[in-house]
Amino acid sequence: MITRLSHLFLRTLRDDPADAEVASHRLLVRAGYVRRIAPGVYSWLPLGLRVLRKVEQVVRQEMDAMGAQEISLPALLPREPYETTRRWTEYGDALFRLQDRKQADYLLGPTHEELFALTVKGEYNSYKDLPVTLYQIQNKYRDEERPRAGILRGREFIMKDSYSFDLDEAGLARSYAAHRETYQRILARLGVRYVIVSATSGAMGGSASEEFLAESPVGEDTYVRSLESGYAANVEAVVTPAPAPLPLGGLPPAVVHDTPDTPTIAALVAWAESAKVVDRRVSAADTLKNVMVKLRHPDGKSEIVGIGIPGDREVDEKRLGAAVEPAEVELLTEADFAANPFLVKGYIGPKALLDNGIRYLVDPRVGTGTRWITGADEPGRHVVGLVAGRDFVPDGTIEAAEVRDGDPSPDGHGTLVAARGIEIGHIFQLGYKYTDAFEVDVLGENGKPVRLVMGSYGIGVSRMVAVVAEQQHDDKGLRWPSEIAPFDVHVVIANKDESARAGAEQVVAGLDARGLDVLFDDRTASPGVKFKDAELLGMPWVLVVGRGWAEGKVELRDRFTGAVEEIDAQAAVDAVVARIRG
Amino acid sequence: MITRLSHLFLRTLRDDPADAEVASHRLLVRAGYVRRIAPGVYSWLPLGLRVLRKVEQVVRQEMDAMGAQEISLPALLPREPYETTRRWTEYGDALFRLQDRKQADYLLGPTHEELFALTVKGEYNSYKDLPVTLYQIQNKYRDEERPRAGILRGREFIMKDSYSFDLDEAGLARSYAAHRETYQRILARLGVRYVIVSATSGAMGGSASEEFLAESPVGEDTYVRSLESGYAANVEAVVTPAPAPLPLGGLPPAVVHDTPDTPTIAALVAWAESAKVVDRRVSAADTLKNVMVKLRHPDGKSEIVGIGIPGDREVDEKRLGAAVEPAEVELLTEADFAANPFLVKGYIGPKALLDNGIRYLVDPRVGTGTRWITGADEPGRHVVGLVAGRDFVPDGTIEAAEVRDGDPSPDGHGTLVAARGIEIGHIFQLGYKYTDAFEVDVLGENGKPVRLVMGSYGIGVSRMVAVVAEQQHDDKGLRWPSEIAPFDVHVVIANKDESARAGAEQVVAGLDARGLDVLFDDRTASPGVKFKDAELLGMPWVLVVGRGWAEGKVELRDRFTGAVEEIDAQAAVDAVVARIRG
């Protein structure tokens, strides 16, 4: 197939779009692949749509190969099933909700667990039908608070979501493993550099879950891994190794000190050092910082909670958010402090919280027998040598403290190093949350009903286009792997000579006859403009028919390596086919 | 590709769904092609999705062949562009509207004229770039008042919509003609029986427009055609031939008569006959019926309007609706009559309307010089010999009266015959409505701006699946033309004998090797159940491997003709390939 640039609906832009922060966004807009319609809502122009469809096709082929079956559910969904699972409410502001002309409530599907569970319930009723894995490739909708980076985090986007249904947990584990392998195959074909990390399940419910993160400094997810072991986890999923309980006997009693003007950890440490209140060097890690947050639960109720973490660490908002889901975290207002006068800012200690019925959760490092310098619940006073498990017993632990480079790996091997990634896939062993909600049973071999166990698996399709652009681009423009390039080869006429034009037509016809998709720059623009566009648009191979044509030579450029090769004009078609088909 | 029925996510139903009125709906549900999720909102199960994708592919190939370029715009659209063209309001209740988390207004796109006009404005700025035709195949949303017949009239559905942009009207005419031909090619490939009829433009704006109607007694559109000429039109678009004006001179004056108890046309005609008020037989066609309606205009204002039509005809609600668009028609309430005491029910005449400033529109048959028996605006009184153009001058004409079999054809050749159809395509010469609204100009050859002229063209993709099912089914089930059948051939094992099973596996492998998509009924069910399913599912060819296998024979069934042929087992693969590839 031949597409002429003189005809293609395309305008490349010289300047970066004003709102573009990341390279993929900048380049996909400049190269005329996508256009913004509203925040997080984009059009796909011809080149972008071609890449998108090719990514879709890779995903579809691999899903089919694993035995999954494609169906297509609506994006416009009735409220009721999401009410049953409470997600109508728990999804919060991220759900697009609307009403029809009869005031019936609808939503735009962010993910389809409910509907797939109901679909299987509707069709199948015997253990003989199981296992089954269904998938769709479809528009999804999430009203992101901060849509960003073009199609990297959109509010309307395309996802492949699939759902497995098994008779038992062993079956679920097999379905999960099959998806994991399929995702690895898909990402290998797309040439994406990625890591698989342990993840939290979030609003999805369920137990085991892993994320596929594309390595990228512009990613919104932080993950950590141990270089000494295979351990890798989204930072939200890192489980802090808890110290073994220490004996409580023989520890000196806690002592309250006047510590004027020490509302910050730094000031407190400076005081402790100078006052020599303990028999060793004092660091921020010896202090216990109590952070107050307000949780808004899905039922609308608010709860004030205290979180105790070592003073050398900050609260990580995303870890905290993941730890308290589906509740949402809010800051306390002045009115909250006024209503709870026992909260003495800068000097809050465990005692006032526990005495006043405030739930108090601590970092796992605050284990039984550990000793702390912390607030004494009076202005300008702290307590030294307060022992966890003796002087206060917290209501539980919480993973809210930041994870840092150098922290010990949770698997006991080596230390953690952090990097950033873009979430491109997520696989969940959901368990029974949805099949319980809708009573998805089949008749078992023994004649008794068997409740099905479910997995849910998603891979970003439109996001993948941005991810590949992000990982593969260079300073001149986009670079597409052959598997998903809009065209196999980009042919440029770089000479106004009529014979070069005729020669280019001949080469293009030859490439087309061999089944290649050719983007043909037949415009009358200058060679400089055309070369710049070819680099920006990013086809993997650029064939230049120019001055050399008279001597029977054309030029083949490798967009990835930048290598330029002069080849015989008569052999050009064979050479290009050989490069592409390997 | 081989798909085994033992594995396929499919359950066929013995019973018709309770809500199914038409055959396509009944069969697509029974055969497990689609499932209802909400009114007018359906899931596509594996077989249905395969047909849908094949229809899409036929449409895509033909659109590409005409030089149109595929892009993809979002379904979630911001309000502003639709505000500019007033369609945000004019679309009325049929538009799904919603707000995002920041209370910004959005809609789910019912059709994309605004966005395509803006897209072309955004990319192109020179006459050299024109003409251009862009299309998309995409989910559309319309909140139909009465979603019906399964996927025949859904609220979420798939459409191919395209938009042409030309420098002048001659270019638009060419783009329109190209679409018309492309649609004919598409429908020929899909085997759809259809007519092309003149249409009204409705809420789209613009001038010339035609509809493609699939012939079907279950269609919602009524069209008429003249068997003597090529004339065909949607009944909403029929323009009543107006009589030539008659001379006003020499006509007797109108006379008011007491006509007790004649509030109906039948009673009035009976009175006129017996009273011999005119010198010939009186029929209902001699009476002028004045129907009062209330129009709700898009700006929210209401207006009472009188419509005068010959008494032998009823008002056709759809013709009236089309004639007053974008206003909506409502009935007058008792309060309206109370507020306008000059409206004497059963005896309303032109005089009271015109005297009281009520807009009065008449059927084109009520031409200058025609004489009528009509209400005298007093209870029990009518006026005889009231002359249009002399005794009353209406405010205009309106196409609101029903069109009937036998009416003269508007083109002057023959008479009209009515039939029903399903709208599957609509092509519009929009003109400048949208390019004016967004000032879509390019620099012309002479350096001056040229306003582009636009066309808009739609073809139903998901609806087409129902249309083919509707036109092609028989009493046993679905029947798919090869072009869009989910599978090329359906192979049934009709014998429990192990050798027949092995033989079927061998035949299936042979068909697969030749590139055919095979649906393989490898279940252990009885031959009767399998044959019934094969008929219901509707693949064009069914190959039965059964008792004959031992004698080297298999059976090939033509699902369309019902013909059964015994063929040599060894030649089965070649025979099937020959049938399908012609």
Side-chain angles (χ1 to χ4, degrees), chain B residues 292-295 302-306 332 336-337 340 343 353 357-360:
Chain B
M292 306 306 300
V293 297
K294 197 156 69 173
L295 300 187
S302 277
E303 178 194 11
I304 293 177
V305 171
L332 269 67
D336 291 321
F337 281 102
N340 297 285
L343 298 176
L353 302 178
I358 301 278
R359 193 144 65 101
Y360 183 52

Side-chain angles (χ1 to χ4, degrees), chain A residues 472-488:
Chain A
Q472 304 288 359
H473 78 277
D474 65 11
D475 56 353
K476 296 179 183 125
L478 298 164
R479 299 193 296 187
W480 298 109
S482 282
E483 181 90 59
I484 57 170
F487 294 91
D488 296 314

Side-chain angles (χ1 to χ4, degrees), chain B residues 298-372:
Chain B
D299 60 8
K301 286 182 187 152
S302 277
E303 178 194 11
I304 293 177
V305 171
I307 295 175
I309 63 171
D312 62 331
R313 292 181 188 259
E314 299 300 326
V315 165
D316 179 319
E317 279 182 33
K318 287 184 134 190
R319 276 171 58 76
L320 172 60
V324 302
E325 258 192 277
E328 291 190 8
V329 176
E330 296 177 349
L331 295 179
L332 269 67
T333 61
E334 286 303 321
D336 291 321
F337 281 102
N340 297 285
F342 53 88
L343 298 176
V344 183
K345 276 193 203 174
Y347 301 92
I348 298 172
K351 188 168 185 306
L353 302 178
L354 294 165
D355 285 355
N356 288 283
I358 301 278
R359 193 144 65 101
Y360 183 52
L361 303 173
V362 297
D363 186 81
R365 294 173 190 84
V366 187
T368 297
T370 54
R371 290 182 287 171
W372 302 94

Side-chain angles (χ1 to χ4, degrees), chain A residues 307-337:
Chain A
I307 295 173
I309 62 171
D312 62 331
R313 292 182 189 258
E314 299 300 326
V315 165
D316 179 319
E317 279 181 33
K318 288 184 134 190
R319 276 170 58 77
L320 171 59
V324 302
E325 259 192 272
E328 291 190 8
V329 176
E330 295 177 349
L331 295 179
L332 269 69
T333 60
E334 285 304 321
D336 290 320
F337 281 102

Side-chain angles (χ1 to χ4, degrees), chain A residues 119-192:
Chain A
T119 296
V120 168
K121 181 184 170 80
E123 306 302 313
Y124 275 176
N125 48 33
S126 161
Y127 73 96
K128 292 181 195 162
D129 296 324
L130 278 295
V132 66
T133 294
L134 302 173
Y135 77 98
Q136 60 179 355
I137 298 177
Q138 192 228 33
N139 267 358
K140 293 273 179 294
Y141 295 86
R142 289 185 199 161
D143 196 358
E144 298 282 353
E145 195 172 353
R146 282 178 291 272
R148 71 182 274 273
I151 53 171
L152 211 48
R153 179 179 284 276
R155 298 197 295 168
E156 173 176 300
F157 56 97
I158 298 178
M159 225 175 96
K160 184 286 298 173
D161 48 329
S162 47
Y163 306 87
S164 66
F165 296 84
D166 280 277
L167 292 167
D168 53 31
E169 300 271 358
L172 171 59
R174 280 192 297 275
S175 297
Y176 182 89
H179 270 91
R180 199 174 192 275
E181 280 167 34
T182 294
Y183 281 23
Q184 290 176 293
R185 270 196 295 273
I186 290 169
L187 294 171
R189 283 181 65 181
L190 299 176
V192 172

Side-chain angles (χ1 to χ4, degrees), chain A residues 7-11 35 37-39 41-46 49 53 67 69-76 78 93-94 96-98 100-102 106 108 115 119-120 122-124 132 134 141 143-145 155-156, chain B residues 7-11 35 37-39 41-46 49 53 67 69-76 78 93-94 96-98 100-102 106 108 115 119-120 122-124 132 134 141 143-145 155-156:
Chain A
H7 173 72
L8 183 66
F9 185 65
L10 173 73
R11 189 166 66 105
R35 289 289 179 259
I37 298 295
V41 180
Y42 281 76
S43 290
W44 295 83
L45 299 188
L49 187 60
R53 294 280 181 255
Q69 303 187 56
E70 188 174 3
I71 67 174
S72 181
L73 267 64
L76 181 68
D93 288 343
F96 281 108
R97 299 176 182 83
L98 68 160
D100 72 0
R101 60 161 73 216
K102 292 178 176 162
Y106 284 81
L108 299 181
L115 274 290
T119 296
V120 168
E123 306 302 313
Y124 275 176
V132 66
L134 302 173
Y141 295 86
D143 196 358
E144 298 282 353
E145 195 172 353
R155 298 197 295 168
E156 173 176 300
Chain B
H7 173 72
L8 183 65
F9 185 65
L10 172 73
R11 188 167 66 108
R35 289 289 179 259
I37 299 294
V41 179
Y42 281 76
S43 289
W44 295 83
L45 299 189
L49 187 61
R53 294 280 182 256
Q69 303 186 56
E70 187 174 5
I71 67 175
S72 180
L73 266 62
L76 180 68
D93 288 343
F96 281 108
R97 299 176 183 84
L98 68 160
D100 72 1
R101 62 160 73 215
K102 291 178 177 162
Y106 284 82
L108 300 182
L115 274 290
T119 296
V120 168
E123 305 302 313
Y124 276 176
V132 66
L134 302 173
Y141 295 87
D143 196 357
E144 299 282 353
E145 195 171 353
R155 299 197 294 168
E156 174 177 300

